[in-house]
Each structure stands twice: as structure tokens, then as C-alpha cells.
Amino acid sequence: MQSVAQAVERLRQLAAAEPLATLAQRFAEAGHELALVGGPVRDAFLGRPVNDLDLTTDAHPDEIIRIVRPISTAHWDIGREFGTIGAQFGTETVEITTYRSDEYDAESRKPVVAFGDTLEGDLTRRDFTMNAMALRLPSLTLVDPTGGLDDLLAGRLRTPIAPERSFSDDPLRMMRAVRFAAQLGAEVDEAALTAIRGMLDRLAIVSAERVRDELVKLLSTDTPRRGLELMVDTGLAAIVLPELPALRLEVDEHAHHKDVYEHSLTVLDQAIDLERSRSSVPDAPPDVVLRLAALLHDIGKPATKKVEAGGAVTFHHHDLVGAKLARKRLTALRFDRDTIKQVSRLVELHLRFFGYSDAKWTDSGVRRYVRDADALLERLHILTRADVTTRNARKAARLHGAYQELEDRIAVLAEQEELAAIRPDLDGERIMQLLGIRPGPVVGEAYRFLLETRLDEGPLGDEEAERRLREWYAARSD
């Protein structure tokens, strides 16, 4: 948190720079108000980078376009229905929105758009008081009708109006509350928490796509665990991601199995730390696929839990069951196909390593591990390492050592064999040419035979591969 004086100076410099300086001048000349609003103002006080320039005005969309068209390098009106016009100024992008006073209908997923007349009225319809501050341009007057600065300084997340009214107007704000709690380290106001617990059914009117986007934003924060815990504690998770609270399995008095819920959150924490430390790209965007896999990797355990004779608890095949559950949940949340495929595959593969720690694999086993992981190999490295949460220091050291050995062996084989792109020594065209056959199922069978041979033995070379292929075909034809 910066001091108020530092934040004001930062906002002054931002307003004096382009494109805000020119925009403020042009709107004033046209007889319209203009203010920097929401996140940029909040982040200036928090000392966070100001990446988005969100502006609000009393001008309606047609007038906004008339003002920005001559001075922008591009503009677009995809948000015109909601009063928002986007514009590009060199490398800077801004969004300018007409004052709003709309609210959501009781049964609708979309707001009934109504333009407002005043900045203060616009601010009171926003989600939280710390996001309901604005800086008038060019006068540099801070407008804070709901006490947002006091709440920001106190680390308190509070709605500008009664939380029941605010969350009814836009139920997704309940999800935003837990996301901002994680992102900004703020405490959610008790009245807001009470309202969330009593209004969970209202979230049903929000589209799955909007819920998904908010979940992704939460997982993309530096410390999503806090928000996820709030989702579980308030009941939001039971609606959005019911597999998460289901992980809170009853732990018997003899502790025959670990707390799967706490373990999963710890795996997420550790995966994020490893994601950062192992990345070769500075300021790389959060790896949402990895984070989803870390959070969901054990969701198959509740369905596969079994108490064996003697009290031992087992979760046989929870990796396969978990992969199916992950696929089902992410599909319901309208994730894209690639994300669904990658997350479910990581969940399916997350136990594969643990046999290695008991008995070293052959080179063939290592090749198959790489082949099965394919483009997900680095993510699987991170997920598997993060999955070690035992408090037994000796066991943890043994597992970490074993995985490091596996990674080292993969690196050596990769250097020798181009392991990341394992293919048979002969391609489909060469197979058809050698066997004198046309495209069809036999070509696929031959390809798979050569691939399995390559995985077992390493590169054969063209001459040996051709000999093996002819032998295989002759035996097949007998």
C-alpha cells in the first residue's frame, strides 16, 4: 500500500501523460465530463501496476466515437449496447463507458441497460467500494462517494449499497468477492459474507461462461488458495466446483489417510511456486491448465475411497475416475476443448511416476512416460513434484531425489534420441512403399508396431527398421 500522497502523485503523472491528457482536453472542449475509474484508481493506491485505463463519461456512445475518432489509431464499438467504446492510442488501449444506472432483472442473466446522469450515481452501482473511486479529468479531483479509500486502507471489501441488493443485481459479484479477497488480500465484510451464504441460488442465473471466467481470474492470482477457501466456506464452491468441498473427506481418528482437501490446496500452492521458479519466460502469464490440474488432481478420491481390512484407506484408480470427473466439470463450465483435454490428461497421469520411486524404470519405461505426457511433460514434472506434501522429511527427500533422477534420465535420452518427438524410424509413406500397400488400417498397425519397437529399443535405423517391418508383415500375413 502506498501513502495517499504517493498515490495522488502517481495518478497526477498518469493523467498528465498520453493518451489521458489529450482525451481529457477533447472531452472538456466537447462539453462532457471524463473520469478515470475503478481498477486504475484502486491500484494506484495499492502500488500495483496500472495496466487497464477505464474511463467513464456523461457522453453517450455516439458522442464518444465522435470525440475519439480523430485522435485514435483505431476504435471499436463492440460494447456499444452497454455504453462502452474501445479505442487505441499507439500502444495504449482505453475503454470509455457512459455513466450507467442499470441493474439486473430478477430472472435475467443480462442487465437492463440504462444510462445515468452523474458520476456519483455511476459509482454507487459498482461492485465494491474500493472499485467505486474515480479521478475527474482534467481537474484531478478524487470522487469517492461510498468510502472506498477508507475501506482500501483498512483492507476491507464492502459493497457500495446493501450487499443483498448488489448481489441480486449481479450475482457474479459474489464470485468477485472471493477473487478480490485473494488478489488484494482484503477481508470480505461480514454483511457481504452473510449475504453470499443466503443468496447462493441466485448464482444459477449467471451464464457458465461468466462463472468460468471469474474462476480463471481467481486461479490466475498469486495466491488463489484464500479465495478457494472462501468459496468452500461460503458454499459458492458447492455450486461452481462441487468436487472441491467433496474432498473434505472424514479423517478417522487414526489418520489412515491425509486430509485430501488441504493436500489439494497445498499441491496448488506448490505448483504455483514451481511454475514461477522453473519458467524461462520472465513475467509469463499464469498457467491455468497446470493450476486446474493441481486443484483437481485428487477429485476422484471420494468416489474411490475404500476402507480395507485392518482400517487402511485406499483410493484405487482415483486417477482415472478423477480424469473423467475433471472432464465433466470443465465441460459444464464451458472451458475450451484443449483446456479440458490437457487438464484431464494431467489428472490421469499424475500417479504415473510413483512406481518409479519403488523400482527404477528401463529406458523403454522412460520413453513411454515422455510419449504419454507429450506436450504436457513440463507440466507433469511440476504437478508430480508438487504432489509431494508429506511431512516426513526423509520420504520427501527420497521422492524428490527419485524424480530428479527421472528428469535427468529424460534429459540424457532426449539428447541422444530427440525424445520429445519420438516417431517410428519409418513414416507412413515409406511403410506403404516397402509393403506395397495402399492407405488403410494395415498402415496404422505397421506404424504402431514400429513405434512400440522404437519405445522399447530406441532408434533402429532405416535398414533395421525395414527388416523388422518386413518380418512383422510376413508373420501377420501367415
Side-chain angles (χ1 to χ4, degrees):
M1 177 75 71
Q2 291 190 318
S3 70
V4 173
Q6 288 174 318
V8 169
E9 176 59 22
R10 190 177 178 200
L11 287 169
R12 187 194 67 76
Q13 293 176 1
L14 187 64
E18 297 299 340
L20 294 188
T22 296
L23 281 169
Q25 178 185 347
R26 294 302 179 93
F27 273 79
E29 290 172 351
H32 288 291
E33 299 175 358
L34 188 69
L36 184 68
V37 68
V41 180
R42 177 201 68 213
D43 289 342
F45 284 96
L46 290 172
R48 295 164 56 91
V50 176
N51 298 315
D52 301 316
L53 295 178
D54 295 327
L55 299 162
T56 188
T57 178
D58 62 339
H60 284 208
D62 288 344
E63 183 65 8
I64 295 173
I65 292 175
R66 190 188 71 78
I67 295 171
V68 304
R69 182 187 288 121
I71 58 176
S72 62
T73 52
H75 71 275
W76 51 94
D77 61 358
I78 192 171
R80 180 196 286 263
E81 178 186 358
F82 301 102
T84 300
I85 302 298
Q88 188 78 30
F89 298 85
T91 60
E92 293 284 357
T93 300
V94 303
E95 286 192 349
I96 308 171
T97 302
T98 305
Y99 296 156
R100 298 257 296 270
S101 62
D102 50 79
E103 59 187 50
Y104 279 64
D105 180 81
E107 302 302 327
S108 174
R109 292 181 175 183
K110 295 183 178 180
V112 178
V113 177
F115 295 141
D117 299 319
T118 67
L119 175 58
E120 289 79 4
D122 177 271
L123 294 175
T124 57
R125 59 160 288 279
R126 293 177 179 262
D127 53 6
F128 301 103
T129 59
M130 62 174 62
N131 296 328
M133 298 184 290
L135 186 72
R136 287 189 185 274
L137 303 175
S139 66
L140 303 184
T141 304
L142 182 66
V143 182
D144 179 18
T146 64
L149 182 56
D150 288 340
D151 286 337
L152 189 64
L153 295 172
R156 181 172 54 240
L157 204 61
R158 186 171 60 86
T159 56
I161 57 177
E164 293 81 5
R165 170 75 182 279
S166 181
F167 296 153
S168 180
D169 284 351
D170 185 355
L172 193 66
R173 289 173 176 171
M174 295 187 284
M175 286 283 292
R176 286 196 199 122
V178 300
R179 191 245 298 180
F180 282 126
Q183 181 178 326
L184 306 176
E187 293 292 334
V188 182
D189 178 67
E190 191 58 42
L193 287 175
T194 299
I196 291 172
R197 293 186 178 103
M199 300 179 64
L200 296 173
D201 59 339
R202 183 74 172 134
L203 197 61
I205 74 163
V206 181
S207 69
E209 290 82 0
R210 292 184 72 214
V211 172
R212 173 204 64 208
D213 290 347
E214 197 58 47
L215 179 62
V216 167
K217 289 177 182 178
L218 169 57
L219 288 172
S220 298
T221 63
D222 290 340
T223 54
R225 177 177 185 141
R226 190 157 183 268
L228 293 166
E229 289 174 334
L230 269 175
M231 281 184 63
V232 171
D233 292 344
T234 58
L236 284 170
I239 296 174
V240 175
L241 200 64
E243 294 80 6
L244 183 58
L247 293 175
R248 294 191 295 186
L249 303 176
E250 181 180 350
V251 180
D252 63 83
E253 62 181 3
H254 301 294
H256 285 135
H257 69 85
K258 67 179 70 176
D259 186 328
V260 184
Y261 169 68
E262 288 295 329
H263 165 75
S264 297
L265 294 178
T266 300
V267 171
L268 175 61
D269 290 340
Q270 295 183 165
I272 291 172
D273 289 342
L274 287 167
E275 173 192 336
R276 295 182 185 126
S277 64
R278 291 171 67 106
S279 176
S280 59
V281 180
D283 301 318
D287 189 340
V288 175
V289 167
L290 172 65
R291 297 181 184 199
L292 280 167
L295 183 64
L296 303 179
H297 77 285
D298 272 348
I299 60 172
K301 282 191 171 180
T304 58
K305 179 183 176 183
K306 184 177 181 181
V307 180
E308 305 286 355
V313 178
T314 61
F315 304 97
H316 294 309
H317 306 301
H318 77 268
D319 46 344
L320 302 179
V321 173
K324 292 179 181 178
L325 291 174
R327 191 177 300 113
K328 182 178 179 180
R329 177 54 51 197
L330 297 181
T331 299
L333 287 170
R334 303 293 193 271
F335 275 89
D336 62 276
R337 289 183 180 179
D338 283 346
T339 297
I340 295 170
K341 181 180 178 180
Q342 292 168 353
V343 172
S344 59
R345 184 60 169 158
L346 284 168
V347 173
E348 181 181 345
L349 292 173
H350 83 273
L351 286 182
R352 188 72 61 86
F353 155 75
F354 289 95
Y356 182 90
S357 64
D358 299 324
K360 300 298 183 287
W361 293 343
T362 62
D363 285 351
S364 171
V366 175
R367 292 189 193 101
R368 292 175 189 279
Y369 187 77
V370 174
R371 191 273 306 268
D372 290 347
D374 198 23
L376 297 171
L377 183 61
E378 176 58 21
R379 285 170 169 148
L380 184 58
H381 287 335
I382 292 174
L383 177 58
T384 305
R385 286 180 177 274
D387 198 18
V388 178
T389 62
T390 178
R391 295 180 182 178
N392 184 319
R394 181 175 297 179
K395 181 179 179 181
R398 177 176 62 81
L399 289 171
H400 284 303
Y403 203 84
Q404 185 59 54
E405 178 184 298
L406 176 58
E407 284 202 59
D408 291 342
R409 288 184 64 192
I410 290 172
V412 170
L413 284 174
E415 185 175 351
Q416 294 173 348
E417 304 178 11
E418 298 182 4
L419 195 58
I422 288 181
R423 295 180 179 86
D425 295 85
L426 307 176
D427 63 17
E429 291 291 333
R430 184 62 176 152
I431 289 170
M432 288 188 289
Q433 182 183 14
L434 286 169
L435 300 183
I437 59 176
R438 298 174 63 82
V442 177
V443 179
E445 291 178 29
Y447 187 93
R448 287 190 290 274
F449 162 72
L450 290 173
L451 177 59
E452 290 299 317
T453 305
R454 168 74 189 275
L455 289 168
D456 286 336
E457 303 179 33
L460 300 175
D462 287 356
E463 184 177 342
E464 178 63 13
E466 291 172 7
R467 185 184 70 79
R468 298 282 191 95
L469 177 63
R470 288 191 176 96
E471 286 181 355
W472 170 84
Y473 189 64
R476 182 185 181 280
S477 304
D478 289 343

